[in-house]
Each structure stands twice: as structure tokens, then as C-alpha cells.
Amino acid sequence: KAGVTQTPRYLIKTRGQQVTLSCSPISGHRSVSWYQQTPGQGLQFLFEYFSETQRNKGNFPGRFSGRQFSNSRSEMNVSTLELGDSALYLCASSLGSAGDSPLHFGNGTRLTVT
Amino acid sequence: GESVGLHLPTLSVQEGDNSIINCAYSNSASDYFIWYKQESGKGPQFIIDIRSNMDKRQGQRVTVLLNKTVKHLSLQIAATQPGDSAVYFCAESRKAAGNKLTFGGGTRVLVKP
């Protein structure tokens, strides 16, 4: 079974631009979560989607948004990029909720903002 | 605020020895705990999980212990191998929070040959 797939693997953008990252979950998984990983802040939760609905949201500004499609694939968008948005963005999928099944992560998209 | 943390940022272990990675959590409402391993250039890889109604769970070469009294979690790796060199994260969640995981800061494990 294929794992979580994230595209692209690397992105370089300029301040003020916007970016869209894509995630394909493991087949059959309906929950998709997004995390930001930086050396300073570690792994931080962005948001979770389940059956096309945002189920939970972390403490990030409104510039960070996401959506999930009917096939469970998900995208996240960051608008008006800032230098501090440089990070590894990780997508994870699971069958259900925490405690029912673990999250499985992709290898991430490395975003560099210059 | 609520947090999950690790006591040791770096752990050096001789190949063949056992490793113990510790993690403290502060939210007594946490009811699900997971350990992840992250190698360079890759995303976190699921190792083992445990629910709050258990205090021990074993996998292949790994054991997770949960002490709810002192809010402490540990991961034991038996017969550590060079391939175990990585950063290990503990994470916690509460059923009410869906799949929102709170991660610890990570511990780097270096296996010496």
C-alpha cells in the first residue's frame, strides 16, 4: 500500500507570494492533518480535515488555509508568505481519530521563503 | 500551557545496548500517546502507540511504558542498531481533540559502533 505522498518536495518562494502544497493520503484514510516543522518551534499542528470538513485548527494566522476533496486528497495554501514561513510542511493521514488509529506522515514539502 | 517534553536532547548508545528515551507530559486529560522516529530528509515514522488505559505495550524490539501518576512516558529500544540512529518524538492527544497531536521537542539517538 502506498504511503502518504506530498508534492512538491521542495519549493522556493519570495516574500509576499502564495503557495499551494498537495497531499495524497494512504488509500482508505479519511482524515488528513497538516503540521509545520521548524528547528525553533518543532512540530506544530496546523489543521485537520475529515470527510472534506475542517475538524480542528491550530494557532496559525488566517494566511494558512486548507481544504480536502471528496477523494480525501488535501491541499494547504499559504498566502502573503513571510520569511518565518520557511519550514518543512508535513501531511499525515489516518483511518479515524486519535486513539483509534495512528497518524502516518509523508516526507514533507520543504518550503524556503526568500 | 500544555506541553509534551523530553528530558534529554541527545542520547549516545553503544550498538547492542538498550536505549531508553523519556518524555514528560503536562495534560492529565491526555489519553493517547505515540512515539515517532524521524530520519534525516524523511517524515516522522510511526513506531508504537499506547492508550491511557494501559501502562505497557510491546512491539518488535520496542516497549513503551506509561506512568500516568507522574505523567511520564518512555520508549525502550532493545539491542540498539545503527539503523536506530534518528530523532525520536513523543506525542500526545486527547480523543476530544481529534487528530491534533502535541509533540515533544525530540531526542536525537546516536548509535556508536
Side-chain angles (χ1 to χ4, degrees):
Chain A
K1 193 182 252 190
V4 177
T5 304
Q6 292 188 246
T7 57
R9 283 283 278 148
Y10 302 94
L11 265 178
I12 300 176
K13 291 287 187 178
T14 305
R15 269 183 304 175
Q17 288 186 314
Q18 74 162 17
V19 68
T20 299
L21 312 181
S22 182
C23 172
S24 293
I26 292 172
S27 178
H29 286 194
R30 296 168 64 190
S31 167
V32 174
S33 303
W34 289 89
Y35 287 79
Q36 181 196 65
Q37 186 174 27
T38 60
Q41 299 298 318
L43 280 146
Q44 293 189 295
F45 173 79
L46 281 156
F47 26 67
E48 180 199 1
Y49 288 87
F50 186 87
S51 294
E52 302 179 66
T53 302
Q54 187 179 85
R55 184 157 69 174
N56 214 334
K57 191 176 189 303
N59 297 322
F60 279 81
R63 300 185 297 107
F64 292 80
S65 63
R67 60 177 176 168
Q68 186 180 32
F69 302 95
S70 58
N71 61 359
S72 293
R73 196 176 65 83
S74 177
E75 289 181 347
M76 69 163 281
N77 185 77
V78 188
S79 62
T80 320
L81 284 165
E82 300 177 0
L83 294 179
D85 296 334
S86 294
L88 181 66
Y89 289 88
L90 292 159
C91 173
S93 73
S94 71
L95 277 171
S97 292
D100 297 327
S101 57
L103 265 64
H104 294 276
F105 286 84
N107 287 328
T109 293
R110 170 76 61 186
L111 173 65
T112 302
V113 182
T114 62
Chain B
E2 299 163 356
S3 66
V4 176
L6 295 173
H7 298 305
L8 300 173
T10 304
L11 178 67
S12 292
V13 183
Q14 200 69 39
E15 182 179 354
D17 287 352
N18 297 334
S19 304
I20 299 177
I21 308 167
N22 295 302
C23 178
Y25 64 95
S26 58
N27 190 344
S28 57
S30 299
D31 54 21
Y32 182 57
F33 305 87
I34 313 177
W35 281 100
Y36 285 95
K37 170 188 179 183
Q38 188 173 26
E39 298 173 280
S40 181
K42 295 185 178 180
Q45 176 187 355
F46 169 77
I47 301 173
I48 192 168
D49 59 359
I50 188 168
R51 294 173 177 76
S52 58
N53 61 352
M54 304 171 70
D55 53 22
K56 180 179 179 179
R57 192 167 187 218
Q58 289 182 293
Q60 186 176 8
R61 285 202 304 120
V62 295
T63 301
V64 55
L65 299 177
L66 175 62
N67 186 328
K68 294 180 286 295
T69 302
V70 295
K71 297 201 273 293
H72 184 266
L73 188 70
S74 69
L75 177 70
Q76 300 177 3
I77 305 174
T80 311
Q81 302 169 358
D84 295 327
S85 292
V87 177
Y88 289 80
F89 294 95
C90 64
E92 61 89 8
S93 70
R94 287 158 282 137
K95 201 163 183 67
N99 277 324
K100 178 181 179 180
L101 296 178
T102 300
F103 280 84
T107 293
R108 181 174 300 280
V109 173
L110 298 174
V111 182
K112 298 177 288 185

